[in-house]
Amino acid sequence: DHLYEVHGARRFAFISGPAEHESAQDRARAFLDFHRRRGLAADGRLMSSPRPWNEGAAAVKELLDDRRLIPGRDFDALLAASDLQLYEAVQVLQSRGCLIPQDLRVAGFNDSVESRIASPSFTTVHLPFDDQARLAFTDLLSLLAGEEVPPERSLECRLVLRRSCGCLSPSVIAAG
């Protein structure tokens, strides 16, 4: 939504995560749901085949070389199911002369270390891993004590804005 609303992106490519990973499939469904909500056509050529977390380079090469898509012309934003995938994909794109975010806006998922060490740093979605672990441990203790636990819980994710989408990070704004 941020890339659409703030930066005017309309043609999104997506690097899909592993086919057997439930969260990766949730992210792919969210990508398609976004297109439906916004009334955008979801072009299957703009979604990579499902890939392991460490195959972002192969995924972007599939889009660029196998499908002959051109960043900036065929898609103006690239999203990835994980920051690690995006990190590898951006290395390929930059080696081919693509400037991030001038030519292509990119965003990932997980707020992992790759999102912070990349140049430019990645806009991403932060997952509350610490809260997940805490709740899992609390539920485990409850189950061991014979208590019932809720069948499902939702935790809030949050958008982390960094340079890869074209925004200045909050720390740069504060320092300026």
Side-chain angles (χ1 to χ4, degrees):
D1 286 328
H2 174 77
L3 294 173
Y4 180 92
E5 292 172 3
V6 175
H7 300 291
R10 295 297 183 267
R11 296 176 320 277
F12 296 86
F14 183 73
I15 296 176
S16 301
E20 68 280 357
H21 196 282
E22 186 177 342
S23 292
Q25 297 313 304
D26 288 343
R27 295 166 197 177
R29 278 189 295 278
F31 177 77
L32 295 172
D33 288 346
F34 164 81
H35 281 79
R36 278 190 285 281
R37 275 193 345 253
R38 294 294 187 171
L40 300 173
D43 183 349
R45 293 181 333 117
L46 294 174
M47 290 183 75
S48 77
S49 302
R51 299 283 181 161
W53 298 122
N54 62 346
E55 289 192 10
V60 79
K61 286 177 183 177
E62 174 187 347
L63 298 176
L64 302 178
D65 300 337
D66 299 347
R67 299 182 187 175
R68 304 224 184 273
L69 299 172
I70 298 173
R73 184 191 77 186
D74 297 316
F75 57 100
D76 52 11
L78 174 65
L79 306 175
S82 79
D83 292 332
L84 176 58
Q85 289 176 313
L86 186 61
Y87 184 81
E88 293 180 357
V90 165
Q91 288 180 322
V92 170
L93 289 162
Q94 289 174 328
S95 75
R96 296 181 182 196
C98 184
L99 300 175
I100 310 295
Q102 297 90 331
D103 299 332
L104 183 68
R105 298 174 193 285
V106 302
F109 203 92
N110 289 341
D111 194 20
S112 61
V113 67
E114 293 84 10
S115 70
R116 295 182 293 280
I117 66 170
S119 181
S121 57
F122 297 155
T123 291
T124 186
V125 174
H126 176 81
L127 293 177
F129 290 118
D130 292 343
D131 293 339
Q132 285 178 321
R134 198 171 5 269
L135 280 173
F137 187 71
T138 301
D139 286 354
L140 178 61
L141 291 176
S142 296
L143 288 170
L144 290 172
E147 300 169 8
E148 289 192 31
V149 297
E152 289 187 19
R153 296 195 191 185
S154 294
L155 297 173
E156 285 290 317
C157 298
R158 68 178 165 79
L159 178 64
V160 179
L161 297 175
R162 296 194 181 111
R163 292 287 303 138
S164 71
C165 71
C167 286
L168 292 176
S169 70
S171 59
V172 170
I173 293 168

